[in-house]
Amino acid sequence: MNARDLVSILLTVDGGDQKLRDLVNLHTVDALACLAAGAGATEGSSLLAFYRETGAGNAISSAAGASAVIRFTEWDAIHVPSCATPGAMAVPAALIFAQDYEAYVRAVAAGHAIGLALSEAVGGVSALPETWPGLFAAPAVAAVSAAFALGLSDEQVAQALVLSMAGSSGRNGRPSGTPSARWLVIGEATLKGIRAALAARAGVKGDLELLSPSWMKGQAGQAVALEPGHVDPLALARVGMKPFVSARQGINAIQAFRHLLEKGVDPNTIDSIEVFLPPVAAPVVSRPLVAEDRLSTIAHLGLQLGIAAFEPARLMDVDRARPFNADVMTFKRVTITADDTLAGEGWPARVVVSAKGQTHEAVWPQTSGEDAQVMLDRKIGSLPATTARRLRRLQAALAEAGPAAVQEASSLLLTFTDASFPRSEAA
């Protein structure tokens, strides 16, 4: 698919559409809430320090650091089938350049559209673990968002896209240690995408035929040719927010278990918990727990259910630096089974709890599941009062749909990435 053809679809994004505006507003505040939470974590603070020290504190380096930290939280919004998390790149890249609200809306929406298109075409969840779809698409998300925010011409947007993807791959291995290259590569991909947009504005030319079927196939064994059907101008509507800091594969099980606790199941009386998940979701949450490894505590479903039972506030703990209490660590009553009958692109879960000889069962998602605003309100409410007030003010300003709202959001991004934003403000 020629880059010009792809961009012609992105150009149909309507920045005046109220539904799209509401979605962009919601996801903007969500991304910045993640940034505030991540800035207060040890590793997030280290990432931001790196970008400040190597980027001389400019807005572009701040956007790159913000992207890395938003993604680091594992609390940012995700499109499940494609494993794409485009908001981490789209929101910062758009905020540092957009001068008016409508341009900002178009930039964020177009960034999400290209992010989902590339992530789905490269294979989505089936490309894992060799190729990380979200990383593969990250430079393009940043490039397109920045290009739209800058008001570049159609040709320049196409050039920015191919310049950002030249030499890219979604192969990152499994880096360990702290700080981890897992998050650094997201910041670097954002940096590359923004610079691609600036290069396109300066007249640099790339290969507009780059995203060919053969090139796509070379990125992952599961990749397919990029087709017009992959590009949805309203892709943002298919990206779901996360209610907790968790691997997305386990969130529905956590929700189902919390539902049973709310119905009166006493965690101290539980004998066993059986969790049934789609086969594609089960492996990530079944890996052995390594308590010293932050990502392990976020993915391991047994630990997450223990947290839900005995330290529920820590489902929103990004840092995971403090030890969990003894009840959480000894809560080893969970078995996970891959179940082919659980269909649906959102990785549904069935949870069966045995307690005092009685069986309690819940399936999630439910038709009465939480809406996005409820999840966002809880996320904001978990932050310190000063930060929460700033984010609520931003919500109100974005609803006004004026240029001042974009400036306020950009100012918050720069505040949250600045060294003077203390860890105590976001911990």
Side-chain angles (χ1 to χ4, degrees), residues 34 58 75 86-87 92 97 134 202 215 235 251 275 289 330 338 363 369 374 378 401 407:
C34 288
N58 62 37
W75 208 0
F97 292 118
W215 184 84
I251 279 180
V275 178
L289 174 64
T330 58
V363 176
V374 171
R378 186 169 58 231
Q407 293 163 11

Coordinates of all heavy atoms in Angstrom, one line a residue, residues 34 58 75 86-87 92 97 134 202 215 235 251 275 289 330 338 363 369 374 378 401 407:
C34 N -1.6 8.5 33.6 CA -0.5 7.5 33.6 C 0.8 8.1 33.8 O 1.7 7.6 34.5 CB -0.6 6.7 32.3 SG -2.0 5.6 32.2
N58 N 14.4 20.0 26.3 CA 13.5 20.6 25.3 C 12.2 19.8 25.3 O 12.0 18.7 25.8 CB 14.2 20.7 24.0 CG 14.6 19.3 23.4 OD1 13.8 18.3 23.6 ND2 15.7 19.3 22.7
W75 N -0.5 0.8 32.5 CA -1.8 1.3 32.9 C -2.5 2.0 31.7 O -3.6 2.5 31.9 CB -1.7 2.2 34.1 CG -2.8 2.2 35.0 CD1 -4.0 1.6 34.9 CD2 -2.9 3.0 36.2 NE1 -4.9 1.9 36.0 CE2 -4.2 2.8 36.8 CE3 -2.1 3.9 36.9 CZ2 -4.6 3.4 38.0 CZ3 -2.5 4.5 38.0 CH2 -3.7 4.2 38.6
P86 N -1.3 3.0 21.2 CA -0.8 4.2 20.5 C -0.9 5.5 21.3 O -0.2 6.4 21.0 CB -1.7 4.2 19.3 CG -3.0 3.4 19.7 CD -2.5 2.4 20.6
G87 N -1.8 5.5 22.3 CA -1.9 6.7 23.1 C -0.6 7.2 23.7 O -0.4 8.4 23.9
P92 N 1.6 12.6 23.6 CA 2.8 13.5 23.8 C 3.2 14.1 22.4 O 3.5 15.3 22.4 CB 3.9 12.6 24.3 CG 3.1 11.5 25.0 CD 1.9 11.2 24.1
F97 N 3.1 20.0 19.7 CA 3.1 20.8 18.4 C 1.8 21.5 18.1 O 1.7 22.5 17.4 CB 3.5 19.9 17.2 CG 4.9 19.5 17.2 CD1 5.3 18.2 17.3 CD2 6.0 20.4 17.2 CE1 6.6 17.8 17.3 CE2 7.3 20.1 17.2 CZ 7.6 18.7 17.2
G134 N 3.1 -3.2 19.2 CA 3.1 -1.8 19.6 C 4.4 -1.0 19.4 O 4.4 0.1 19.1
A202 N 11.2 19.6 6.5 CA 12.4 20.3 6.0 C 12.7 19.8 4.6 O 13.6 20.3 3.9 CB 13.6 19.9 6.9
W215 N 7.8 -6.1 2.3 CA 8.4 -5.5 3.5 C 7.6 -5.9 4.7 O 8.2 -6.2 5.8 CB 8.4 -4.0 3.3 CG 9.1 -3.3 4.4 CD1 10.5 -3.0 4.5 CD2 8.5 -2.7 5.5 NE1 10.8 -2.3 5.6 CE2 9.6 -2.1 6.3 CE3 7.2 -2.5 6.0 CZ2 9.4 -1.4 7.5 CZ3 7.0 -1.9 7.2 CH2 8.1 -1.3 7.9
A235 N -10.5 4.6 14.8 CA -9.8 3.5 15.5 C -9.8 3.8 17.0 O -9.8 2.8 17.8 CB -8.4 3.3 15.0
I251 N -6.8 -8.8 33.2 CA -7.7 -7.8 33.8 C -9.1 -8.3 33.9 O -9.8 -8.0 34.9 CB -7.7 -6.5 32.9 CG1 -6.4 -5.7 33.3 CG2 -8.9 -5.6 33.1 CD1 -6.2 -4.4 32.6
V275 N -9.4 -20.1 37.3 CA -9.5 -19.0 36.3 C -9.4 -19.6 34.9 O -8.5 -20.3 34.6 CB -8.5 -17.9 36.5 CG1 -8.6 -16.9 35.4 CG2 -8.5 -17.3 37.8
L289 N 6.1 -16.5 39.4 CA 6.2 -15.2 40.0 C 7.7 -15.0 40.5 O 8.3 -15.8 41.1 CB 5.3 -15.1 41.3 CG 5.4 -13.8 42.1 CD1 5.0 -12.6 41.3 CD2 4.6 -14.0 43.4
T330 N 1.0 -15.1 50.4 CA 0.7 -16.5 50.6 C -0.6 -17.0 50.0 O -1.1 -18.1 50.2 CB 0.6 -16.8 52.2 OG1 -0.4 -15.9 52.7 CG2 1.9 -16.5 52.8
A338 N -6.5 -22.8 30.2 CA -6.8 -22.2 28.8 C -8.1 -22.9 28.4 O -8.2 -24.1 28.4 CB -5.7 -22.5 27.9
V363 N -18.4 -14.2 35.3 CA -17.8 -14.1 33.9 C -17.6 -12.6 33.6 O -18.5 -11.8 34.0 CB -18.6 -14.8 32.9 CG1 -18.0 -14.5 31.5 CG2 -18.7 -16.3 33.1
G369 N -20.6 -3.8 32.7 CA -19.2 -3.4 33.1 C -19.0 -1.9 33.2 O -19.7 -1.1 32.7
V374 N -15.7 6.1 34.5 CA -15.6 5.5 35.9 C -14.2 5.1 36.1 O -13.6 5.3 37.2 CB -16.6 4.4 36.1 CG1 -16.4 3.7 37.4 CG2 -18.0 4.9 36.0
R378 N -11.4 6.7 38.8 CA -10.7 6.0 39.9 C -9.2 6.2 39.7 O -8.5 6.3 40.7 CB -11.1 4.5 39.8 CG -10.5 3.7 41.0 CD -11.1 2.3 41.1 NE -10.9 1.6 39.8 CZ -11.8 0.9 39.2 NH1 -13.1 0.9 39.6 NH2 -11.5 0.3 38.1
A401 N -13.2 22.8 24.4 CA -12.7 22.7 23.1 C -12.0 23.9 22.5 O -12.2 24.2 21.3 CB -13.9 22.2 22.1
Q407 N -3.1 24.0 25.3 CA -1.9 24.6 26.0 C -1.8 24.1 27.4 O -0.7 23.8 27.9 CB -2.1 26.1 25.9 CG -1.9 26.7 24.5 CD -2.4 28.1 24.4 OE1 -2.7 28.7 25.4 NE2 -2.6 28.6 23.2

